[in-house]
Amino acid sequence: GQNIDQPTEMTATEGAIVQINCTYQTSGFNGLFWYQQHAGEAPTFLSYNVLDGLEEKGRFSSFLSRSKGYSYLLLKELQMKDSASYLCAVMDSNYQLIWGAGTKLIIKP
Amino acid sequence: GAVVSQHPSWVICKSGTSVKIECRSLDFQATTMFWYRQFPKQSLMLMATSNEGSKATYEQGVEKDKFLINHASLTLSTLTVTSAHPEDSSFYICSARVPDRTAYEQYFGPGTRLTVT
């Protein structure tokens, strides 16, 4: 079966760095997405990785290792507004998005 | 660019009635749209894939006669929840794929919160 695993909840301090991990097992791979979702709102796109390595975009970076079926989202200089759920999703061989359950990130002052 | 809108943003209806939710791509043409449902503290669950001009493809376990999807134009897909029951109360989100983007990135609408009383 297809499976995406990510921690249910994480807590971090304002100004610090946090890494949210995602491991996956899917039938085929056409890229991995990270989305941010604030409570009661729709997800917003953060990043897309299809090749191994680190993609940096401002305070957010995303890493992919296809051989390990592993990705992480790195958030630097955390701000209170970063409190949200972070969803990992993998596009399988049929170009369908397989979603993780999301990681709720709590930022404390 | 790549803005997706949904209407209404929230709706309350009585059990047994039908509710229609609209999903529009505002600045691009979307040949493919997706309908998701999300229960509290859970991830997105794909309900169906909506293709312009053809029948929707429903995920396993989703009743096609209960959740009617129509994708009559390149900018509009509708989801009708027929004979709604309280267990249909959920957050319904549509998304659209931008056809000329190689990343197959999906843009999401703001969601519709349905409450069935």
Side-chain angles (χ1 to χ4, degrees), chain A residues 25-95:
Chain A
Q25 290 178 306
T26 56
S27 54
F29 180 83
N30 279 300
L32 185 144
F33 296 80
W34 283 96
Y35 282 84
Q36 180 190 60
Q37 186 178 25
H38 285 99
E41 299 180 11
T44 54
F45 171 80
L46 288 179
S47 67
Y48 170 73
N49 294 67
V50 69
L51 298 176
D52 290 349
L54 186 68
E55 295 276 345
E56 296 185 74
K57 191 185 294 185
R59 294 190 298 115
F60 294 4
S61 303
S62 57
F63 171 83
L64 174 68
S65 169
R66 288 171 296 170
S67 62
K68 295 181 179 178
Y70 167 70
S71 172
Y72 67 73
L73 180 69
L74 191 71
L75 293 76
K76 301 176 184 177
E77 300 170 18
L78 286 170
Q79 302 175 9
M80 297 303 292
K81 67 178 182 179
D82 297 330
S83 293
S85 286
Y86 290 86
L87 308 176
C88 172
V90 172
M91 186 161 282
D92 67 10
S93 56
N94 295 319
Y95 295 97

Side-chain angles (χ1 to χ4, degrees), chain A residues 33 35 37 40-43 45 48 87 91 95-97 99-101, chain B residues 36 38 43-44 46 59 91 93 97 103-106 108-110 113:
Chain A
F33 296 80
Y35 282 84
Q37 186 178 25
E41 299 180 11
F45 171 80
Y48 170 73
L87 308 176
M91 186 161 282
Y95 295 97
Q96 288 274 51
L97 273 180
W99 293 88
Chain B
Y36 292 88
Q38 186 176 35
S43 191
L44 298 172
L46 179 65
E59 295 300 301
F91 192 46
I93 310 173
R97 205 178 263 169
Y104 296 95
E105 187 177 319
Q106 288 187 27
F108 287 85
R113 187 159 304 281

Side-chain angles (χ1 to χ4, degrees), chain A residues 35-38 40-45, chain B residues 2-9 21-26 28 33-36 38 44 91-97 106-113:
Chain A
Y35 282 84
Q36 180 190 60
Q37 186 178 25
H38 285 99
E41 299 180 11
T44 54
F45 171 80
Chain B
V3 178
V4 177
S5 72
Q6 264 183 259
H7 178 81
S9 55
I21 303 170
E22 294 185 348
C23 177
R24 292 181 186 273
S25 56
L26 297 185
F28 67 99
M33 289 183 171
F34 304 88
W35 286 98
Y36 292 88
Q38 186 176 35
L44 298 172
F91 192 46
Y92 291 86
I93 310 173
C94 74
S95 71
R97 205 178 263 169
Q106 288 187 27
Y107 289 86
F108 287 85
T112 297
R113 187 159 304 281

